[in-house]
Amino acid sequence: QVQLVESGGGLVQAGDSVRLSCAISGHTFNRYAMGWFRQAPGKERELVAAITWSGDSTRYADSVKGRFTISRDNAKNTMYLQMNSLKPEDTAVYYCAAGLSITQVTTGPGYWGQGTRVTVSS
């Protein structure tokens, strides 16, 4: 059973930076593509970023391109989301996700974390 645990959320000011982490356990980390999703109040969950198992390819939502960076450290079984220049509209619960391919992650991940809340005040 794959388990994903996010950390790093909190309350920040607009313009600040935050790094989220997602630790995976229960299976071989480097077999999985990974991704970050978010769900803002009253909105549907949306893809933020995704990364292949090797880390050689990434995808980003247009709204975060140039501000957010997804990365992974397979030796530490951990994925990261570096979020810079945060805006109030980035306020959401951020979820870590895993799948057998980056396509699966972006269309229907097999595994989800419990989420970590990020609140950006203006």
Side-chain angles (χ1 to χ4, degrees), residues 29-46:
F29 179 64
N30 62 9
R31 291 175 180 258
Y32 290 93
M34 306 286 293
W36 289 97
F37 288 73
R38 67 185 180 186
Q39 187 166 19
K43 295 187 178 181
E44 293 186 355
R45 190 174 299 188
E46 64 175 357

Side-chain angles (χ1 to χ4, degrees), residues 72-92:
R72 63 190 295 162
D73 185 337
N74 287 348
K76 296 182 178 179
N77 290 350
T78 303
M79 174 183 65
Y80 306 97
L81 185 68
Q82 178 67 43
M83 304 188 294
N84 299 329
S85 302
L86 283 162
K87 305 175 181 180
E89 51 263 43
D90 294 318
T91 294

Side-chain angles (χ1 to χ4, degrees), residues 2 24 27-34 53 72 98-100 111:
V2 174
I24 188 170
H27 217 284
T28 306
F29 179 64
N30 62 9
R31 291 175 180 258
Y32 290 93
M34 306 286 293
W53 67 268
R72 63 190 295 162
L100 295 178
Y111 302 98

Side-chain angles (χ1 to χ4, degrees), residues 4 28-30 33 42 52 57 59 67 73-74 76 81-82 89-90 93-94 98 101-102 113 115-116 120:
L4 306 175
T28 306
F29 179 64
N30 62 9
T52 54
S57 181
R59 298 180 188 177
R67 299 189 299 123
D73 185 337
N74 287 348
K76 296 182 178 179
L81 185 68
Q82 178 67 43
E89 51 263 43
D90 294 318
V93 177
Y94 284 73
S101 68
I102 196 170
T116 184
V120 184

